[in-house]
Amino acid sequence: MVEGRRVYRIERVKSGIKGFDDLIEGGFPRGTTVLVTGPTGSGKTTFGVQFVYSGAALYDEPGVIVTLEERASDLRREMLAFGWDLEKYERERKIAIVDGVSTVVGLPSEEQYVLEGNLNTEDFLRYIYRVVKALNAKRLVIDSIPSIAFRLKKEEEVRSVLLQLNTILLEMGVTSILTTEAPDPARGRISRYGVEEYIARGLILLDFVEREVELKRYLLIRKMRETKHSMKKYPFEITEEGIVVYPSGELY
């Protein structure tokens, strides 16, 4: 309390992404839902997995990764390139990977957590809720929103699905990252369906800019509620240790 006013302090969740937290007052507001959007190859999946992996490895915060675009076994193998041993933390029950691909493409899955091929929206949300509660997870990544619509055959009702998803995420109290495709960021098309950015409380764009006949990656925070942030474009790289953002680097 200061001069009769109550001081409201925001609890922060460190992203584990080097340089990024400097741009958002030390971390994501706890319990928020953040949309990470960008074209193919911009680093969306890496951003999300790095967030969950760092939670387990550095901050003692269990996390859940819902992979709807590639099999869990492929994701584990790819992340080893950054030195991230997801399987180690799965054994310790600090990370759970939900395989949402195998049954859709007709492949058997030996994963502990598997989404069946014929789930409706309610069953999908209920299953994610159970996995989060089973781990007492504090972090969640769903990769990606277009794959939810495709998988559930609900593309025409994506707004309703996203509203339900947002409600249940808020109820669970997890800090969540959702990924989606940005069809044409230069022309303002920053999400596949045009509604995702209105559902999330934060919006991060990962994109490319051409500099001297070479594509450079940049990051732009379009929205982050409860947080002061710049609207400038910051360079970032995908290194051997994951994503590194350069807050004091060249601003494009």
Side-chain angles (χ1 to χ4, degrees):
M1 193 80 69
V2 178
E3 296 181 355
R5 285 192 301 117
R6 180 169 296 176
V7 177
Y8 179 53
R9 299 189 183 280
I10 306 296
E11 186 179 357
R12 298 286 171 178
V13 175
K14 293 185 179 299
S15 68
I17 296 169
K18 188 175 180 181
F20 177 74
D21 291 347
D22 296 343
L23 306 177
I24 54 169
E25 298 189 298
F28 295 118
R30 185 170 295 281
T32 201
T33 301
V34 177
L35 181 71
V36 176
T37 184
T40 300
S42 56
K44 301 182 297 294
T45 298
T46 303
F47 192 103
V49 174
Q50 189 167 349
F51 172 67
V52 167
Y53 181 83
S54 298
L58 303 176
Y59 307 120
D60 195 29
E61 291 195 350
V64 174
I65 301 168
V66 183
T67 176
L68 301 171
E69 295 199 339
E70 58 184 326
R71 293 182 303 166
S73 56
D74 296 331
L75 184 68
R76 290 188 192 96
R77 186 182 66 254
E78 291 169 9
M79 294 304 124
L80 285 173
F82 302 116
W84 304 340
D85 187 352
L86 298 177
E87 195 168 4
K88 170 182 183 296
Y89 292 101
E90 288 179 88
R91 291 193 298 268
E92 296 177 7
R93 294 190 57 77
K94 289 186 175 180
I95 289 179
I97 301 178
V98 178
D99 181 356
V101 175
S102 295
T103 55
V104 172
V105 298
L107 295 174
S109 177
E110 298 180 356
E111 299 294 332
Q112 180 177 0
Y113 302 106
V114 184
L115 287 170
E116 298 301 325
N118 58 353
L119 288 184
N120 59 31
T121 301
E122 291 72 24
D123 290 338
F124 171 81
L125 295 174
R126 193 175 297 116
Y127 188 85
I128 301 306
Y129 184 90
R130 287 204 302 267
V131 177
V132 166
K133 290 301 181 183
L135 252 70
N136 191 26
K138 307 299 182 188
R139 305 181 180 214
L140 170 68
V141 168
I142 298 180
D143 185 31
S144 66
I145 286 175
S147 295
I148 295 177
F150 172 79
R151 188 183 190 289
L152 299 174
K153 298 180 174 60
K154 290 284 185 178
E155 185 166 334
E156 72 283 1
E157 300 176 16
V158 68
R159 181 185 292 269
S160 174
V161 171
L162 292 177
L163 284 170
Q164 292 180 64
L165 177 61
N166 188 54
T167 298
I168 199 169
L169 292 177
L170 291 173
E171 180 182 338
M172 288 189 290
V174 292
T175 307
S176 307
I177 288 178
L178 314 177
T179 70
T180 194
E181 290 288 331
D184 192 352
R187 301 191 180 190
R189 296 184 62 201
I190 57 174
S191 65
R192 173 72 67 88
Y193 303 104
V195 298
E196 298 98 310
E197 61 262 39
Y198 302 108
I199 303 300
R201 296 177 62 83
L203 172 59
I204 299 168
L205 171 65
L206 308 181
D207 200 3
F208 304 95
V209 64
E210 187 172 337
R211 286 290 181 268
E212 298 177 355
V213 302
E214 183 180 0
L215 287 179
K216 301 282 190 179
R217 288 184 166 92
Y218 74 82
L219 176 150
L220 171 64
I221 302 169
R222 291 281 297 258
K223 175 176 72 173
M224 192 68 63
R225 294 183 185 174
E226 301 180 285
T227 299
K228 294 178 182 178
H229 62 89
S230 168
M231 292 289 285
K232 295 177 180 177
K233 298 175 180 179
Y234 291 93
F236 77 93
E237 293 180 339
I238 301 180
T239 73
E240 293 179 352
E241 298 178 349
I243 291 176
V244 176
V245 181
Y246 301 105
S248 58
E250 176 189 356
L251 304 184
Y252 300 134

